[in-house]
């Protein structure tokens, strides 16, 4: 794990630390990867940088070459169709799916998308996080049924187990990154 970390192989360091059951070695499990790009994107879009880091950690374990079975690519696991839409709406250069493997481009696109989701969900980062995973149309539907619930109950009522765990992980990871960045 330490060797992988020294080489900048973030996802391998994370996986090795987990395999070695190094649960308390937070520096291995939560690398402060792509820090300058994350800070710049957070500042430009007025986002919490710890949230961006947590999304990247959850989505790809900080692996800029990650590919999902559903077609998402890169560090922030952006779908090509989402990237095209963001490119058009925000004037972000995007030529092909290959661009998503560039961590700086992935961070730029994801931060624009997260900002859009925050606006759509009136500044609620929990709803935006759920929407990043399950899609904004699903979250809007869930809110129509359960908008009056306290946020912790709302999270537990998310009908997709994957999204429910995703939101919990991102919340926990945000706190860990905030602590590591102190």
């Amino acid at each position: 794990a330490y060797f992988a970390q020294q080489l900048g192989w973030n996802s391998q360091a994370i996986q090795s630390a987990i395999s070695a059951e190094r649960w308390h070695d937070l520096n291995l499990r939560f690398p402060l990867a792509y820090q300058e790009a994350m800070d710049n994107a957070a500042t430009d879009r007025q986002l919490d940088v710890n949230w961006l880091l947590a999304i990247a950690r959850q989505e790809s374990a900080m692996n800029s070459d990650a590919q999902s079975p559903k077609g998402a690519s890169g560090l922030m696991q952006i779908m090509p169709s989402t990237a095209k839409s963001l490119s058009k709406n925000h004037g972000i250069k995007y030529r092909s799916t290959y661009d998503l493997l560039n961590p700086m481009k992935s961070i730029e696109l994801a931060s624009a998308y997260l900002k859009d989701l925050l606006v759509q969900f009136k500044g609620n980062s929990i709803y935006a996080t759920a929407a990043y995973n399950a899609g904004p149309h699903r979250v809007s539907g869930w809110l129509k049924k359960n908008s009056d619930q306290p946020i912790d109950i709302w999270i537990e009522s998310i009908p997709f187990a994957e999204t429910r765990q995703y939101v919990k992980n991102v919340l926990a990871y945000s706190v860990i990154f905030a602590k590591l960045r102190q």
Side-chain angles (χ1 to χ4, degrees):
Y2 289 114
F3 182 65
Q5 183 184 48
Q6 288 174 351
L7 295 175
W9 298 348
N10 299 307
S11 62
Q12 292 89 338
I14 292 167
Q15 290 304 319
S16 295
I18 292 168
S19 294
E21 297 183 4
R22 302 284 304 210
W23 307 121
H24 298 298
D25 199 335
L26 298 180
N27 290 317
L28 280 176
R29 292 183 49 228
F30 297 92
L32 297 173
Y34 310 104
Q35 195 58 54
E36 186 176 345
M38 292 283 188
D39 284 335
N40 290 340
T43 299
D44 291 348
R45 303 280 183 200
Q46 298 176 327
L47 301 172
D48 179 358
V49 69
N50 300 312
W51 186 40
L52 284 178
L53 286 162
I55 296 278
R57 172 58 172 79
Q58 176 62 30
E59 285 289 344
S60 70
M62 300 295 187
N63 180 0
S64 63
D65 296 328
Q67 300 283 328
S68 84
K70 294 181 181 177
S73 295
L75 178 71
M76 305 297 286
Q77 290 292 280
I78 305 282
M79 293 294 286
S81 58
T82 302
K84 284 180 188 176
S85 175
L86 290 165
S87 172
K88 181 180 174 184
N89 294 339
H90 292 278
I92 299 170
K93 282 187 178 183
Y94 173 75
R95 292 182 303 271
S96 71
T97 304
Y98 183 75
D99 286 350
L100 298 176
L101 301 178
N102 175 330
M104 305 319 143
K105 184 63 66 180
S106 186
I107 292 166
E108 181 182 20
L109 289 163
S111 65
Y113 187 41
L114 287 165
K115 182 64 176 192
D116 288 351
L117 292 171
L118 268 180
V119 169
Q120 180 176 348
F121 294 105
K122 298 176 178 57
N124 188 309
S125 62
I126 304 296
Y127 300 155
T129 300
Y132 194 88
N133 178 258
H137 61 286
R138 286 194 181 103
V139 173
S140 293
W142 299 338
L143 286 170
K144 286 179 185 172
K145 295 177 185 172
N146 300 318
S147 65
D148 59 340
Q149 294 179 330
I151 198 68
D152 56 338
I153 303 299
W154 186 85
I155 292 169
E156 290 299 332
S157 72
I158 294 172
F160 294 172
E162 175 190 331
T163 302
R164 189 169 49 252
Q165 190 60 51
Y166 180 96
V167 170
K168 292 177 186 180
N169 288 352
V170 169
L171 282 169
Y173 296 172
S174 294
V175 171
I176 293 168
F177 279 116
K179 181 68 175 164
L180 291 173
R181 290 171 41 84
Q182 285 182 340

